[in-house]
Amino acid sequence: MRKINALKGTRCLALFASISLSLFIYSCKKDNQEKLENAEIISDVKSWFGSQTSNRLLTTSLFRQSGSNKISALKPTRTQTIPNAADHSLTIDWENAKTYQSSDSTIIEVPVTSDGLFKFNTKVPIEGEKISMKKSFTRLLFIKTATATEGYFMTIINSDEYLETTSNPEQNTFLKKEASFIGTVVYHDFQGKMTNAISIGGIKLLNKKVSVNSQAARGKIMQAFPDECKETDIYQVIGIGCFDIGAYTYCENSYSIYVGRTKCGGGSEPGAGSGGGAGGGGTSNPPVILKVDVDSNARQCLKDMKAALESLGMKNTSKTAGLISDILNKLNLSQGSNFNAIINEGVTANGHLAETIWITDPNNSSNLLTQIKFDSGYLNKLTDLAVAATMMHEYIHAYFDWNIRLMNEGKTGFDANFQATYKFLFDKTGAPLNDQLGTYQHEQMANSFATSIGEMVKKYADSQGITYPADPDYFKKIGWIGLTGTPSATHAPPGTSYTLASEEGSSGTTPLSQRLKCKQ
């Protein structure tokens, strides 16, 4: 019996050893395969980067875009011309490139160094002041999918406060930050233009609420933000005759050059606009929130109106209470939405004042784009206040569409209270209703937004000096534009149909608010 048990034990040990060896061999093969795949990916982006920069030698002067930036501020009250010797060649450390996955994309980060002092900072260092070796680090950032590649210089500037609490700030990446991280992230295109900069405090953005995402990659950083916005200056710091002592760098001569600033709010912040796609000379905007844009061929009145409404709180980063700011916050900042839209004009399919539909993104055929189209014929008849009300009406359609699309596709990021708040859009089981004609959306809009649209139109009218009727219910009526066919329209103020017909330029009526800026 003992011999039999011993034999069984020997066989078990042999079997265990065989299985362990097989698993070890499989693991080695898998690791080797992943290394080969990563090496191929890095080789591809290295070649792509070379083509985007024409394989030219890059120096720290790349990030200075104007003649005035050839002047350095050694102290806040003192300047000096930057000598050529202060500019160092940039070294792209491909050997230490790192790759990781995000959704359907691969993220590649490659260290960028130089022989001399090369840092970025959020203040002008005092002459002779020691500079932490870990104050900032710059990397090439690539976002690669099967169909597109995006590339940027990404610099993470660590605050002094954060450096006192961390032993390894280099662990922070494009997609992942320590919860205690305090600092600023700056993006430059391959021509050295600063295209976006965001300041992050702890897990809060100090300068704006933002979901850093890529149109191609859908990778994100998402944080909350405090009520008060703080803009931050960005400086490049270079030096001559530098040497390291401990954790700090000292230079015989250091130069601090202003290169840009973080921004509060929307509109003119660096990097605003459509995201980058494949190629493009490396000039694509960095992965930042995409927002509603106006087609360059659309009438100037639409561009002016959108800009004016933005100044009243119709911005993706506004904290101002009100319909449009709330809706745009939800559109642009939903974690899974990657929302972007275009406003243009043409002939609407059903002869409506405007329509909101899905189209293929011309810059990325794998993405859908929300198109808000105004009917060109109606634009010649609509008063400015009718156009403003219609624009807000269509924004709400876009908000509904994006949330429902996310839900139907099983994605996360839709408004957490969407279903509970907008019950007209769902059946009794909680499933989104098939609403190709917008019937349920209009009913929901009539119940939830008609009054708010009217209130926002009044703000717009007052800001633009547009005269309007003395009728105390005028703006309540204008909020019902596009909604008079709903069952809830019985609750609209008496005379709503006539007011809307007049503002829409219907035959036999006279506009009540007079101004027709879109008319051609």
Side-chain angles (χ1 to χ4, degrees):
M1 178 68 75
R2 289 180 181 177
K3 290 183 179 180
I4 294 174
N5 288 338
L7 181 61
K8 287 182 178 179
T10 302
R11 288 176 178 173
C12 288
L13 287 173
L15 179 61
F16 177 77
S18 176
I19 293 173
S20 298
L21 179 61
S22 298
L23 291 173
F24 175 75
I25 292 172
Y26 170 78
S27 177
C28 289
K29 287 182 177 179
K30 184 179 179 182
D31 289 345
N32 288 335
Q33 180 64 29
E34 289 179 351
K35 289 179 180 178
L36 289 173
E37 291 175 354
N38 288 340
E40 184 177 350
I41 291 169
I42 292 169
S43 178
D44 286 346
V45 296
K46 180 179 180 180
S47 176
W48 184 78
F49 176 72
S51 69
Q52 301 303 305
T53 58
S54 301
N55 289 306
R56 70 184 185 276
L57 177 67
L58 303 179
T59 73
T60 56
S61 63
L62 175 71
F63 304 98
R64 302 201 295 277
Q65 297 293 305
S66 65
S68 63
N69 279 350
K70 294 178 182 178
I71 304 299
S72 166
L74 296 177
K75 291 183 177 179
T77 58
R78 183 176 163 202
T79 61
Q80 178 179 327
T81 302
I82 302 167
N84 291 334
D87 279 315
H88 314 290
S89 298
L90 297 178
T91 299
I92 312 301
D93 187 5
W94 296 103
E95 292 297 321
N96 287 303
K98 304 294 183 183
T99 66
Y100 53 94
Q101 292 298 125
S102 172
S103 184
D104 60 349
S105 64
T106 300
I107 310 298
I108 305 98
E109 296 189 21
V110 190
V112 178
T113 61
S114 77
D115 292 335
L117 177 65
F118 168 51
K119 299 292 180 184
F120 285 83
N121 204 347
T122 54
K123 64 179 181 179
V124 178
I126 298 174
E127 189 173 9
E129 181 182 28
K130 62 184 182 180
I131 299 173
S132 171
M133 294 169 61
K134 297 180 179 181
K135 183 61 184 174
S136 75
F137 51 86
T138 298
R139 297 171 182 161
L140 284 178
L141 168 68
F142 299 96
I143 303 169
K144 183 177 175 60
T145 68
T147 60
T149 299
E150 301 177 40
Y152 319 96
F153 286 98
M154 176 187 72
T155 299
I156 297 181
I157 305 172
N158 302 298
S159 70
D160 294 338
E161 178 184 354
Y162 171 63
L163 289 175
E164 291 177 357
T165 66
T166 185
S167 59
N168 186 22
E170 289 87 353
Q171 68 184 309
N172 294 311
T173 67
F174 166 58
L175 290 182
K176 187 177 180 180
K177 302 284 186 299
E178 276 193 300
S180 60
F181 175 76
I182 301 174
T184 299
V185 184
V186 183
Y187 296 93
H188 289 86
D189 64 24
F190 290 163
Q191 278 64 52
K193 179 182 178 182
M194 194 181 84
T195 49
N196 198 51
I198 58 174
S199 294
I200 303 173
I203 58 170
K204 297 180 180 179
L205 287 171
L206 299 179
N207 69 309
K208 60 182 181 180
K209 190 174 184 181
V210 64
S211 170
V212 176
N213 70 42
S214 160
Q215 184 173 7
R218 293 188 279 279
K220 300 175 182 65
I221 306 167
M222 185 69 185
Q223 287 94 2
F225 77 134
D227 292 340
E228 292 188 4
C229 170
K230 299 178 182 178
E231 294 186 350
T232 305
D233 291 327
I234 308 296
Y235 299 90
Q236 182 189 24
V237 182
I238 55 178
I240 299 175
C242 302
F243 55 94
D244 298 332
I245 297 180
Y248 295 95
T249 297
Y250 294 82
C251 299
E252 293 177 5
N253 293 287
S254 61
Y255 305 88
S256 184
I257 308 99
Y258 176 82
V259 293
R261 197 178 199 192
T262 63
K263 283 289 185 180
C264 297
S268 62
E269 73 268 28
S274 60
T283 59
S284 303
N285 288 331
V288 295
I289 48 176
L290 300 174
K291 53 186 178 181
V292 182
D293 198 5
V294 182
D295 190 285
S296 58
N297 296 318
R299 299 185 200 194
Q300 187 62 41
C301 65
L302 295 177
K303 302 172 187 177
D304 293 343
M305 186 170 296
K306 176 177 176 289
L309 287 170
E310 283 181 347
S311 70
L312 297 174
M314 184 173 152
K315 324 179 176 181
N316 56 336
T317 56
S318 174
K319 286 292 288 185
T320 304
L323 165 73
I324 294 303
S325 62
D326 289 346
I327 290 299
L328 284 190
N329 276 328
K330 291 175 179 177
L331 280 175
N332 288 314
L333 302 174
S334 292
Q335 294 183 15
S337 70
N338 190 29
F339 173 80
N340 63 103
I342 186 76
I343 297 174
N344 58 18
E345 64 171 286
V347 178
T348 57
N350 297 307
H352 295 154
L353 304 181
E355 63 184 11
T356 297
I357 60 173
W358 294 108
I359 62 172
T360 300
D361 187 341
N363 296 317
N364 187 340
S365 60
S366 64
N367 280 355
L368 289 178
L369 181 72
T370 295
Q371 174 184 261
I372 297 175
K373 181 192 287 184
F374 282 82
D375 187 87
S376 297
Y378 270 112
L379 283 177
N380 290 325
K381 301 185 294 182
L382 290 168
T383 65
D384 282 17
L385 300 188
V387 175
T390 301
M391 187 175 287
M392 289 180 248
H393 177 108
E394 299 304 324
Y395 268 113
I396 298 169
H397 277 307
Y399 168 60
F400 286 160
D401 286 349
W402 271 98
N403 277 274
I404 290 174
R405 180 187 170 196
L406 290 172
M407 297 177 79
N408 284 334
E409 293 182 354
K411 295 181 179 178
T412 59
F414 51 84
D415 188 346
N417 299 315
F418 187 80
Q419 182 177 343
T421 305
Y422 307 114
K423 296 181 180 179
F424 286 101
L425 308 182
F426 299 87
D427 64 21
K428 293 181 179 179
T429 69
L433 290 163
N434 185 357
D435 192 20
Q436 294 183 2
L437 299 178
T439 303
Y440 302 112
Q441 288 194 17
H442 279 152
E443 183 64 17
Q444 186 69 69
M445 208 180 296
N447 278 265
S448 302
F449 294 109
T451 300
S452 297
I453 291 175
E455 291 172 350
M456 192 69 181
V457 173
K458 185 177 188 305
K459 290 183 180 180
Y460 173 73
D462 290 339
S463 71
Q464 299 296 303
I466 299 174
T467 58
Y468 45 82
D471 178 3
D473 289 333
Y474 171 78
F475 290 105
K476 293 180 181 178
K477 296 173 183 177
I478 203 74
W480 283 87
I481 199 162
L483 302 174
T484 53
T486 64
S488 292
T490 55
H491 301 295
T496 293
S497 295
Y498 175 79
T499 294
L500 293 178
S502 299
E503 297 297 78
E504 292 167 8
S506 298
S507 178
T509 65
T510 301
L512 301 177
S513 59
Q514 300 299 312
R515 186 185 291 185
L516 285 79
K517 191 175 180 180
C518 288
K519 185 176 182 179
Q520 291 183 345

